[in-house]
Amino acid sequence: MDYRVKETGNKRYIECIEGNECLKNEQDALELVVICHQNDAGLLILHEENIAQDFFELKTGVAGNILQKFINYSIKVAAVLEPERVKEGRFREMVIEANQGSHFRVFHNYMEAEEWLIR
């Protein structure tokens, strides 16, 4: 799993490297949890390329299972997705609901994601 440890101010977070699909299932989520804890970081940034297609198709249950792992282990996650990805359907509904919470949010640019994450 390709990632980098980043620090901004006094906050440390993990960023999955773009172009590397590192989040396909619950096991991958647990590996990211371990990476976060090993690096003393409870914050994670994911890019659209990092996330498998099944995550976006809610009927698979993948998104719910993965997000539950992050919540259970207190990992705050920001996902940077193209606007087209969240235009319609059940995934859009999930994003609207998730963006009201404090554990997982979707952003359309990296700077906004990082700002929310380290706030």
Side-chain angles (χ1 to χ4, degrees), residues 66-111:
I66 286 173
L67 294 178
Q68 191 61 53
K69 294 292 182 218
F70 291 137
I71 291 168
N72 289 349
Y73 292 98
S74 301
I75 304 297
K76 185 176 177 181
V77 181
V80 182
L81 306 177
E82 292 295 324
E84 296 79 37
R85 179 58 81 175
V86 294
K87 268 189 171 176
E88 57 190 44
R90 304 276 300 157
F91 186 72
R92 179 179 182 276
E93 293 171 16
M94 186 204 78
V95 167
I96 290 169
E97 185 176 329
N99 280 357
Q100 296 174 18
S102 60
H103 298 290
F104 173 78
R105 288 200 183 172
V106 171
F107 299 89
H108 300 307
N109 73 61
Y110 183 86
M111 297 303 289

mmCIF file of all heavy atoms in Angstrom, residues 66-111:
data_model
loop_
_atom_site.group_PDB
_atom_site.id
_atom_site.type_symbol
_atom_site.label_atom_id
_atom_site.label_comp_id
_atom_site.label_asym_id
_atom_site.label_seq_id
_atom_site.Cartn_x
_atom_site.Cartn_y
_atom_site.Cartn_z
ATOM 1 N N ILE A 66 -16.589 -0.435 5.198
ATOM 2 C CA ILE A 66 -15.311 0.274 5.296
ATOM 3 C C ILE A 66 -15.434 1.471 6.231
ATOM 4 O O ILE A 66 -14.597 1.666 7.119
ATOM 5 C CB ILE A 66 -14.831 0.707 3.894
ATOM 6 C CG1 ILE A 66 -14.315 -0.516 3.132
ATOM 7 C CG2 ILE A 66 -13.770 1.786 3.983
ATOM 8 C CD1 ILE A 66 -13.964 -0.248 1.679
ATOM 9 N N LEU A 67 -16.469 2.269 6.044
ATOM 10 C CA LEU A 67 -16.631 3.454 6.885
ATOM 11 C C LEU A 67 -16.831 3.075 8.346
ATOM 12 O O LEU A 67 -16.347 3.774 9.245
ATOM 13 C CB LEU A 67 -17.774 4.321 6.365
ATOM 14 C CG LEU A 67 -17.526 4.941 4.986
ATOM 15 C CD1 LEU A 67 -18.745 5.737 4.533
ATOM 16 C CD2 LEU A 67 -16.277 5.808 4.986
ATOM 17 N N GLN A 68 -17.507 1.974 8.594
ATOM 18 C CA GLN A 68 -17.694 1.529 9.975
ATOM 19 C C GLN A 68 -16.354 1.201 10.636
ATOM 20 O O GLN A 68 -16.152 1.488 11.810
ATOM 21 C CB GLN A 68 -18.640 0.333 10.036
ATOM 22 C CG GLN A 68 -19.079 0.002 11.441
ATOM 23 C CD GLN A 68 -19.833 1.156 12.097
ATOM 24 O OE1 GLN A 68 -20.791 1.673 11.553
ATOM 25 N NE2 GLN A 68 -19.383 1.574 13.269
ATOM 26 N N LYS A 69 -15.437 0.612 9.878
ATOM 27 C CA LYS A 69 -14.097 0.313 10.415
ATOM 28 C C LYS A 69 -13.400 1.599 10.823
ATOM 29 O O LYS A 69 -12.806 1.694 11.902
ATOM 30 C CB LYS A 69 -13.233 -0.439 9.394
ATOM 31 C CG LYS A 69 -13.725 -1.816 9.078
ATOM 32 C CD LYS A 69 -13.576 -2.745 10.255
ATOM 33 C CE LYS A 69 -14.047 -4.136 9.863
ATOM 34 N NZ LYS A 69 -14.755 -4.816 10.928
ATOM 35 N N PHE A 70 -13.438 2.601 9.956
ATOM 36 C CA PHE A 70 -12.784 3.865 10.274
ATOM 37 C C PHE A 70 -13.409 4.515 11.506
ATOM 38 O O PHE A 70 -12.707 5.035 12.373
ATOM 39 C CB PHE A 70 -12.826 4.821 9.081
ATOM 40 C CG PHE A 70 -11.964 4.391 7.929
ATOM 41 C CD1 PHE A 70 -12.422 4.476 6.630
ATOM 42 C CD2 PHE A 70 -10.678 3.903 8.129
ATOM 43 C CE1 PHE A 70 -11.633 4.099 5.557
ATOM 44 C CE2 PHE A 70 -9.875 3.515 7.062
ATOM 45 C CZ PHE A 70 -10.352 3.616 5.778
ATOM 46 N N ILE A 71 -14.725 4.458 11.608
ATOM 47 C CA ILE A 71 -15.407 5.025 12.775
ATOM 48 C C ILE A 71 -15.023 4.257 14.034
ATOM 49 O O ILE A 71 -14.699 4.856 15.063
ATOM 50 C CB ILE A 71 -16.930 5.026 12.561
ATOM 51 C CG1 ILE A 71 -17.307 6.040 11.486
ATOM 52 C CG2 ILE A 71 -17.674 5.314 13.868
ATOM 53 C CD1 ILE A 71 -18.742 5.935 10.990
ATOM 54 N N ASN A 72 -15.042 2.928 13.968
ATOM 55 C CA ASN A 72 -14.721 2.103 15.132
ATOM 56 C C ASN A 72 -13.318 2.382 15.671
ATOM 57 O O ASN A 72 -13.090 2.296 16.878
ATOM 58 C CB ASN A 72 -14.838 0.619 14.796
ATOM 59 C CG ASN A 72 -16.270 0.169 14.601
ATOM 60 O OD1 ASN A 72 -17.215 0.894 14.894
ATOM 61 N ND2 ASN A 72 -16.428 -1.026 14.069
ATOM 62 N N TYR A 73 -12.389 2.683 14.786
ATOM 63 C CA TYR A 73 -10.994 2.904 15.194
ATOM 64 C C TYR A 73 -10.622 4.383 15.220
ATOM 65 O O TYR A 73 -9.437 4.732 15.259
ATOM 66 C CB TYR A 73 -10.052 2.109 14.281
ATOM 67 C CG TYR A 73 -10.192 0.627 14.493
ATOM 68 C CD1 TYR A 73 -10.987 -0.149 13.646
ATOM 69 C CD2 TYR A 73 -9.562 0.000 15.565
ATOM 70 C CE1 TYR A 73 -11.125 -1.514 13.852
ATOM 71 C CE2 TYR A 73 -9.704 -1.364 15.775
ATOM 72 C CZ TYR A 73 -10.487 -2.115 14.911
ATOM 73 O OH TYR A 73 -10.627 -3.469 15.118
ATOM 74 N N SER A 74 -11.619 5.253 15.203
ATOM 75 C CA SER A 74 -11.436 6.703 15.334
ATOM 76 C C SER A 74 -10.488 7.297 14.299
ATOM 77 O O SER A 74 -9.618 8.100 14.625
ATOM 78 C CB SER A 74 -10.945 7.048 16.749
ATOM 79 O OG SER A 74 -11.870 6.608 17.702
ATOM 80 N N ILE A 75 -10.677 6.904 13.053
ATOM 81 C CA ILE A 75 -9.906 7.479 11.967
ATOM 82 C C ILE A 75 -10.814 8.454 11.216
ATOM 83 O O ILE A 75 -11.874 8.072 10.714
ATOM 84 C CB ILE A 75 -9.386 6.398 10.991
ATOM 85 C CG1 ILE A 75 -8.552 5.341 11.729
ATOM 86 C CG2 ILE A 75 -8.600 7.033 9.844
ATOM 87 C CD1 ILE A 75 -7.294 5.861 12.380
ATOM 88 N N LYS A 76 -10.427 9.691 11.158
ATOM 89 C CA LYS A 76 -11.173 10.725 10.450
ATOM 90 C C LYS A 76 -10.695 10.720 9.001
ATOM 91 O O LYS A 76 -9.500 10.812 8.732
ATOM 92 C CB LYS A 76 -10.892 12.077 11.115
ATOM 93 C CG LYS A 76 -11.677 13.230 10.583
ATOM 94 C CD LYS A 76 -11.357 14.479 11.415
ATOM 95 C CE LYS A 76 -12.053 15.699 10.881
ATOM 96 N NZ LYS A 76 -11.712 16.897 11.689
ATOM 97 N N VAL A 77 -11.638 10.607 8.054
ATOM 98 C CA VAL A 77 -11.287 10.406 6.643
ATOM 99 C C VAL A 77 -11.892 11.501 5.760
ATOM 100 O O VAL A 77 -13.084 11.799 5.853
ATOM 101 C CB VAL A 77 -11.792 9.033 6.145
ATOM 102 C CG1 VAL A 77 -11.407 8.808 4.684
ATOM 103 C CG2 VAL A 77 -11.260 7.907 7.020
ATOM 104 N N ALA A 78 -11.032 12.054 4.900
ATOM 105 C CA ALA A 78 -11.473 12.988 3.864
ATOM 106 C C ALA A 78 -11.208 12.331 2.515
ATOM 107 O O ALA A 78 -10.100 11.847 2.261
ATOM 108 C CB ALA A 78 -10.717 14.301 3.971
ATOM 109 N N ALA A 79 -12.219 12.300 1.664
ATOM 110 C CA ALA A 79 -12.072 11.723 0.327
ATOM 111 C C ALA A 79 -12.178 12.839 -0.704
ATOM 112 O O ALA A 79 -13.101 13.655 -0.650
ATOM 113 C CB ALA A 79 -13.142 10.670 0.075
ATOM 114 N N VAL A 80 -11.221 12.871 -1.631
ATOM 115 C CA VAL A 80 -11.220 13.868 -2.701
ATOM 116 C C VAL A 80 -11.749 13.182 -3.962
ATOM 117 O O VAL A 80 -11.085 12.315 -4.525
ATOM 118 C CB VAL A 80 -9.804 14.436 -2.938
ATOM 119 C CG1 VAL A 80 -9.837 15.498 -4.029
ATOM 120 C CG2 VAL A 80 -9.218 14.994 -1.648
ATOM 121 N N LEU A 81 -12.969 13.567 -4.354
ATOM 122 C CA LEU A 81 -13.645 12.934 -5.484
ATOM 123 C C LEU A 81 -14.046 13.983 -6.523
ATOM 124 O O LEU A 81 -14.333 15.132 -6.179
ATOM 125 C CB LEU A 81 -14.910 12.209 -5.023
ATOM 126 C CG LEU A 81 -14.771 11.185 -3.894
ATOM 127 C CD1 LEU A 81 -16.130 10.624 -3.533
ATOM 128 C CD2 LEU A 81 -13.811 10.079 -4.286
ATOM 129 N N GLU A 82 -14.100 13.555 -7.767
ATOM 130 C CA GLU A 82 -14.589 14.415 -8.845
ATOM 131 C C GLU A 82 -16.079 14.677 -8.625
ATOM 132 O O GLU A 82 -16.806 13.790 -8.176
ATOM 133 C CB GLU A 82 -14.379 13.743 -10.195
ATOM 134 C CG GLU A 82 -12.921 13.607 -10.592
ATOM 135 C CD GLU A 82 -12.257 14.945 -10.817
ATOM 136 O OE1 GLU A 82 -12.919 15.872 -11.333
ATOM 137 O OE2 GLU A 82 -11.074 15.067 -10.455
ATOM 138 N N PRO A 83 -16.546 15.892 -8.944
ATOM 139 C CA PRO A 83 -17.971 16.204 -8.757
ATOM 140 C C PRO A 83 -18.908 15.227 -9.474
ATOM 141 O O PRO A 83 -19.976 14.914 -8.962
ATOM 142 C CB PRO A 83 -18.102 17.613 -9.341
ATOM 143 C CG PRO A 83 -16.738 18.192 -9.259
ATOM 144 C CD PRO A 83 -15.782 17.037 -9.420
ATOM 145 N N GLU A 84 -18.495 14.722 -10.636
ATOM 146 C CA GLU A 84 -19.339 13.781 -11.380
ATOM 147 C C GLU A 84 -19.617 12.511 -10.588
ATOM 148 O O GLU A 84 -20.638 11.860 -10.779
ATOM 149 C CB GLU A 84 -18.683 13.402 -12.714
ATOM 150 C CG GLU A 84 -18.527 14.550 -13.681
ATOM 151 C CD GLU A 84 -17.330 15.442 -13.355
ATOM 152 O OE1 GLU A 84 -16.278 14.931 -12.930
ATOM 153 O OE2 GLU A 84 -17.470 16.661 -13.504
ATOM 154 N N ARG A 85 -18.695 12.151 -9.711
ATOM 155 C CA ARG A 85 -18.823 10.912 -8.929
ATOM 156 C C ARG A 85 -19.995 10.991 -7.967
ATOM 157 O O ARG A 85 -20.591 9.981 -7.621
ATOM 158 C CB ARG A 85 -17.518 10.667 -8.174
ATOM 159 C CG ARG A 85 -17.496 9.455 -7.301
ATOM 160 C CD ARG A 85 -17.767 8.189 -8.026
ATOM 161 N NE ARG A 85 -16.572 7.707 -8.690
ATOM 162 C CZ ARG A 85 -16.505 6.558 -9.328
ATOM 163 N NH1 ARG A 85 -17.553 5.758 -9.386
ATOM 164 N NH2 ARG A 85 -15.413 6.195 -9.930
ATOM 165 N N VAL A 86 -20.341 12.191 -7.515
ATOM 166 C CA VAL A 86 -21.390 12.334 -6.499
ATOM 167 C C VAL A 86 -22.601 13.109 -7.010
ATOM 168 O O VAL A 86 -23.345 13.681 -6.230
ATOM 169 C CB VAL A 86 -20.832 13.004 -5.217
ATOM 170 C CG1 VAL A 86 -19.832 12.108 -4.544
ATOM 171 C CG2 VAL A 86 -20.220 14.358 -5.518
ATOM 172 N N LYS A 87 -22.824 13.080 -8.304
ATOM 173 C CA LYS A 87 -23.925 13.839 -8.893
ATOM 174 C C LYS A 87 -25.307 13.299 -8.570
ATOM 175 O O LYS A 87 -26.235 14.051 -8.358
ATOM 176 C CB LYS A 87 -23.773 13.890 -10.415
ATOM 177 C CG LYS A 87 -23.032 15.067 -10.904
ATOM 178 C CD LYS A 87 -23.124 15.133 -12.407
ATOM 179 C CE LYS A 87 -22.548 16.448 -12.885
ATOM 180 N NZ LYS A 87 -22.523 16.520 -14.322
ATOM 181 N N GLU A 88 -25.461 11.986 -8.564
ATOM 182 C CA GLU A 88 -26.811 11.432 -8.432
ATOM 183 C C GLU A 88 -26.786 10.076 -7.743
ATOM 184 O O GLU A 88 -25.740 9.501 -7.487
ATOM 185 C CB GLU A 88 -27.446 11.292 -9.807
ATOM 186 C CG GLU A 88 -26.635 10.440 -10.750
ATOM 187 C CD GLU A 88 -27.152 10.501 -12.179
ATOM 188 O OE1 GLU A 88 -27.464 11.588 -12.675
ATOM 189 O OE2 GLU A 88 -27.241 9.410 -12.771
ATOM 190 N N GLY A 89 -27.981 9.603 -7.440
ATOM 191 C CA GLY A 89 -28.123 8.246 -6.909
ATOM 192 C C GLY A 89 -27.907 8.126 -5.418
ATOM 193 O O GLY A 89 -27.805 9.101 -4.684
ATOM 194 N N ARG A 90 -27.855 6.877 -5.000
ATOM 195 C CA ARG A 90 -27.731 6.544 -3.576
ATOM 196 C C ARG A 90 -26.396 7.017 -2.997
ATOM 197 O O ARG A 90 -26.331 7.410 -1.835
ATOM 198 C CB ARG A 90 -27.894 5.041 -3.392
ATOM 199 C CG ARG A 90 -29.186 4.460 -3.942
ATOM 200 C CD ARG A 90 -30.348 4.558 -3.049
ATOM 201 N NE ARG A 90 -30.041 3.836 -1.824
ATOM 202 C CZ ARG A 90 -30.634 4.069 -0.678
ATOM 203 N NH1 ARG A 90 -31.567 4.955 -0.588
ATOM 204 N NH2 ARG A 90 -30.303 3.398 0.394
ATOM 205 N N PHE A 91 -25.326 6.937 -3.790
ATOM 206 C CA PHE A 91 -24.037 7.385 -3.280
ATOM 207 C C PHE A 91 -24.085 8.879 -2.953
ATOM 208 O O PHE A 91 -23.568 9.312 -1.929
ATOM 209 C CB PHE A 91 -22.905 7.087 -4.273
ATOM 210 C CG PHE A 91 -21.545 7.417 -3.712
ATOM 211 C CD1 PHE A 91 -20.980 6.622 -2.725
ATOM 212 C CD2 PHE A 91 -20.852 8.536 -4.142
ATOM 213 C CE1 PHE A 91 -19.742 6.939 -2.173
ATOM 214 C CE2 PHE A 91 -19.614 8.856 -3.604
ATOM 215 C CZ PHE A 91 -19.061 8.048 -2.618
ATOM 216 N N ARG A 92 -24.738 9.655 -3.800
ATOM 217 C CA ARG A 92 -24.895 11.091 -3.532
ATOM 218 C C ARG A 92 -25.628 11.306 -2.212
ATOM 219 O O ARG A 92 -25.253 12.153 -1.409
ATOM 220 C CB ARG A 92 -25.650 11.758 -4.677
ATOM 221 C CG ARG A 92 -25.873 13.245 -4.462
ATOM 222 C CD ARG A 92 -26.626 13.866 -5.666
ATOM 223 N NE ARG A 92 -26.791 15.281 -5.495
ATOM 224 C CZ ARG A 92 -27.769 15.860 -4.801
ATOM 225 N NH1 ARG A 92 -28.681 15.120 -4.213
ATOM 226 N NH2 ARG A 92 -27.844 17.169 -4.693
ATOM 227 N N GLU A 93 -26.683 10.543 -1.988
ATOM 228 C CA GLU A 93 -27.440 10.649 -0.739
ATOM 229 C C GLU A 93 -26.548 10.340 0.458
ATOM 230 O O GLU A 93 -26.615 11.019 1.488
ATOM 231 C CB GLU A 93 -28.648 9.707 -0.766
ATOM 232 C CG GLU A 93 -29.698 10.085 -1.788
ATOM 233 C CD GLU A 93 -30.775 9.030 -1.942
ATOM 234 O OE1 GLU A 93 -30.895 8.138 -1.073
ATOM 235 O OE2 GLU A 93 -31.500 9.085 -2.951
ATOM 236 N N MET A 94 -25.722 9.309 0.332
ATOM 237 C CA MET A 94 -24.816 8.956 1.419
ATOM 238 C C MET A 94 -23.820 10.083 1.688
ATOM 239 O O MET A 94 -23.536 10.423 2.831
ATOM 240 C CB MET A 94 -24.062 7.667 1.114
ATOM 241 C CG MET A 94 -23.220 7.197 2.293
ATOM 242 S SD MET A 94 -21.840 6.148 1.834
ATOM 243 C CE MET A 94 -20.671 7.325 1.222
ATOM 244 N N VAL A 95 -23.306 10.687 0.629
ATOM 245 C CA VAL A 95 -22.337 11.777 0.771
ATOM 246 C C VAL A 95 -22.975 12.974 1.471
ATOM 247 O O VAL A 95 -22.368 13.571 2.367
ATOM 248 C CB VAL A 95 -21.748 12.179 -0.602
ATOM 249 C CG1 VAL A 95 -20.994 13.497 -0.516
ATOM 250 C CG2 VAL A 95 -20.848 11.076 -1.130
ATOM 251 N N ILE A 96 -24.195 13.309 1.088
ATOM 252 C CA ILE A 96 -24.889 14.434 1.727
ATOM 253 C C ILE A 96 -25.019 14.188 3.220
ATOM 254 O O ILE A 96 -24.753 15.071 4.039
ATOM 255 C CB ILE A 96 -26.269 14.675 1.074
ATOM 256 C CG1 ILE A 96 -26.074 15.235 -0.340
ATOM 257 C CG2 ILE A 96 -27.132 15.599 1.921
ATOM 258 C CD1 ILE A 96 -27.340 15.270 -1.176
ATOM 259 N N GLU A 97 -25.402 12.982 3.586
ATOM 260 C CA GLU A 97 -25.532 12.640 5.001
ATOM 261 C C GLU A 97 -24.176 12.622 5.703
ATOM 262 O O GLU A 97 -24.010 13.169 6.790
ATOM 263 C CB GLU A 97 -26.213 11.289 5.150
ATOM 264 C CG GLU A 97 -26.495 10.922 6.587
ATOM 265 C CD GLU A 97 -27.255 9.622 6.721
ATOM 266 O OE1 GLU A 97 -28.045 9.279 5.831
ATOM 267 O OE2 GLU A 97 -27.057 8.952 7.746
ATOM 268 N N ALA A 98 -23.181 11.998 5.080
ATOM 269 C CA ALA A 98 -21.855 11.890 5.682
ATOM 270 C C ALA A 98 -21.212 13.261 5.882
ATOM 271 O O ALA A 98 -20.530 13.488 6.889
ATOM 272 C CB ALA A 98 -20.950 11.015 4.814
ATOM 273 N N ASN A 99 -21.439 14.175 4.962
ATOM 274 C CA ASN A 99 -20.825 15.497 5.050
ATOM 275 C C ASN A 99 -21.381 16.345 6.189
ATOM 276 O O ASN A 99 -20.852 17.411 6.477
ATOM 277 C CB ASN A 99 -20.947 16.241 3.720
ATOM 278 C CG ASN A 99 -19.906 15.792 2.717
ATOM 279 O OD1 ASN A 99 -19.039 14.970 3.009
ATOM 280 N ND2 ASN A 99 -19.980 16.329 1.519
ATOM 281 N N GLN A 100 -22.400 15.853 6.846
ATOM 282 C CA GLN A 100 -22.923 16.534 8.025
ATOM 283 C C GLN A 100 -22.254 16.027 9.301
ATOM 284 O O GLN A 100 -22.400 16.631 10.356
ATOM 285 C CB GLN A 100 -24.438 16.349 8.104
ATOM 286 C CG GLN A 100 -25.158 16.990 6.947
ATOM 287 C CD GLN A 100 -26.644 16.694 6.953
ATOM 288 O OE1 GLN A 100 -27.214 16.303 7.961
ATOM 289 N NE2 GLN A 100 -27.281 16.880 5.814
ATOM 290 N N GLY A 101 -21.542 14.929 9.184
ATOM 291 C CA GLY A 101 -20.896 14.315 10.341
ATOM 292 C C GLY A 101 -19.456 14.750 10.507
ATOM 293 O O GLY A 101 -18.963 15.640 9.824
ATOM 294 N N SER A 102 -18.772 14.073 11.411
ATOM 295 C CA SER A 102 -17.394 14.460 11.720
ATOM 296 C C SER A 102 -16.381 13.347 11.466
ATOM 297 O O SER A 102 -15.208 13.497 11.811
ATOM 298 C CB SER A 102 -17.311 14.886 13.187
ATOM 299 O OG SER A 102 -17.703 13.815 14.028
ATOM 300 N N HIS A 103 -16.795 12.232 10.850
ATOM 301 C CA HIS A 103 -15.880 11.106 10.636
ATOM 302 C C HIS A 103 -15.426 10.958 9.192
ATOM 303 O O HIS A 103 -14.289 10.577 8.937
ATOM 304 C CB HIS A 103 -16.537 9.790 11.064
ATOM 305 C CG HIS A 103 -16.890 9.749 12.507
ATOM 306 N ND1 HIS A 103 -15.934 9.678 13.489
ATOM 307 C CD2 HIS A 103 -18.079 9.774 13.136
ATOM 308 C CE1 HIS A 103 -16.533 9.658 14.662
ATOM 309 N NE2 HIS A 103 -17.835 9.718 14.480
ATOM 310 N N PHE A 104 -16.310 11.224 8.251
ATOM 311 C CA PHE A 104 -16.016 11.025 6.837
ATOM 312 C C PHE A 104 -16.692 12.123 6.036
ATOM 313 O O PHE A 104 -17.880 12.383 6.210
ATOM 314 C CB PHE A 104 -16.546 9.666 6.365
ATOM 315 C CG PHE A 104 -16.432 9.434 4.888
ATOM 316 C CD1 PHE A 104 -15.216 9.078 4.316
ATOM 317 C CD2 PHE A 104 -17.540 9.573 4.063
ATOM 318 C CE1 PHE A 104 -15.114 8.870 2.946
ATOM 319 C CE2 PHE A 104 -17.447 9.356 2.687
ATOM 320 C CZ PHE A 104 -16.228 9.008 2.133
ATOM 321 N N ARG A 105 -15.913 12.777 5.177
ATOM 322 C CA ARG A 105 -16.481 13.800 4.302
ATOM 323 C C ARG A 105 -15.862 13.696 2.920
ATOM 324 O O ARG A 105 -14.733 13.257 2.763
ATOM 325 C CB ARG A 105 -16.246 15.200 4.857
ATOM 326 C CG ARG A 105 -17.106 15.467 6.076
ATOM 327 C CD ARG A 105 -17.252 16.921 6.340
ATOM 328 N NE ARG A 105 -18.039 17.106 7.563
ATOM 329 C CZ ARG A 105 -18.217 18.256 8.144
ATOM 330 N NH1 ARG A 105 -17.674 19.342 7.642
ATOM 331 N NH2 ARG A 105 -18.938 18.346 9.234
ATOM 332 N N VAL A 106 -16.630 14.165 1.945
ATOM 333 C CA VAL A 106 -16.183 14.167 0.556
ATOM 334 C C VAL A 106 -15.957 15.616 0.125
ATOM 335 O O VAL A 106 -16.773 16.492 0.416
ATOM 336 C CB VAL A 106 -17.238 13.495 -0.347
ATOM 337 C CG1 VAL A 106 -16.896 13.679 -1.816
ATOM 338 C CG2 VAL A 106 -17.344 12.012 -0.005
ATOM 339 N N PHE A 107 -14.854 15.811 -0.570
ATOM 340 C CA PHE A 107 -14.487 17.128 -1.085
ATOM 341 C C PHE A 107 -14.128 17.004 -2.557
ATOM 342 O O PHE A 107 -13.801 15.928 -3.033
ATOM 343 C CB PHE A 107 -13.284 17.684 -0.300
ATOM 344 C CG PHE A 107 -13.582 17.858 1.154
ATOM 345 C CD1 PHE A 107 -13.355 16.822 2.050
ATOM 346 C CD2 PHE A 107 -14.107 19.043 1.632
ATOM 347 C CE1 PHE A 107 -13.646 16.964 3.399
ATOM 348 C CE2 PHE A 107 -14.405 19.197 2.978
ATOM 349 C CZ PHE A 107 -14.173 18.157 3.865
ATOM 350 N N HIS A 108 -14.163 18.149 -3.246
ATOM 351 C CA HIS A 108 -13.830 18.146 -4.660
ATOM 352 C C HIS A 108 -12.417 18.648 -4.927
ATOM 353 O O HIS A 108 -11.955 18.611 -6.068
ATOM 354 C CB HIS A 108 -14.853 18.955 -5.458
ATOM 355 C CG HIS A 108 -16.241 18.408 -5.326
ATOM 356 N ND1 HIS A 108 -16.561 17.085 -5.583
ATOM 357 C CD2 HIS A 108 -17.395 18.996 -4.954
ATOM 358 C CE1 HIS A 108 -17.844 16.888 -5.367
ATOM 359 N NE2 HIS A 108 -18.375 18.035 -4.983
ATOM 360 N N ASN A 109 -11.751 19.149 -3.887
ATOM 361 C CA ASN A 109 -10.343 19.513 -4.063
ATOM 362 C C ASN A 109 -9.552 19.211 -2.801
ATOM 363 O O ASN A 109 -10.091 19.168 -1.689
ATOM 364 C CB ASN A 109 -10.174 20.967 -4.534
ATOM 365 C CG ASN A 109 -10.465 21.978 -3.462
ATOM 366 O OD1 ASN A 109 -9.810 22.007 -2.430
ATOM 367 N ND2 ASN A 109 -11.443 22.832 -3.706
ATOM 368 N N TYR A 110 -8.289 19.010 -3.009
ATOM 369 C CA TYR A 110 -7.389 18.568 -1.942
ATOM 370 C C TYR A 110 -7.285 19.595 -0.809
ATOM 371 O O TYR A 110 -7.271 19.224 0.360
ATOM 372 C CB TYR A 110 -6.002 18.278 -2.533
ATOM 373 C CG TYR A 110 -5.036 17.750 -1.523
ATOM 374 C CD1 TYR A 110 -4.978 16.393 -1.247
ATOM 375 C CD2 TYR A 110 -4.185 18.602 -0.825
ATOM 376 C CE1 TYR A 110 -4.101 15.889 -0.305
ATOM 377 C CE2 TYR A 110 -3.301 18.111 0.118
ATOM 378 C CZ TYR A 110 -3.257 16.762 0.372
ATOM 379 O OH TYR A 110 -2.398 16.271 1.303
ATOM 380 N N MET A 111 -7.176 20.856 -1.164
ATOM 381 C CA MET A 111 -6.986 21.891 -0.138
ATOM 382 C C MET A 111 -8.152 21.927 0.861
ATOM 383 O O MET A 111 -7.932 22.047 2.058
ATOM 384 C CB MET A 111 -6.798 23.274 -0.792
ATOM 385 C CG MET A 111 -5.545 23.353 -1.649
ATOM 386 S SD MET A 111 -4.026 22.945 -0.748
ATOM 387 C CE MET A 111 -3.868 24.365 0.291
#
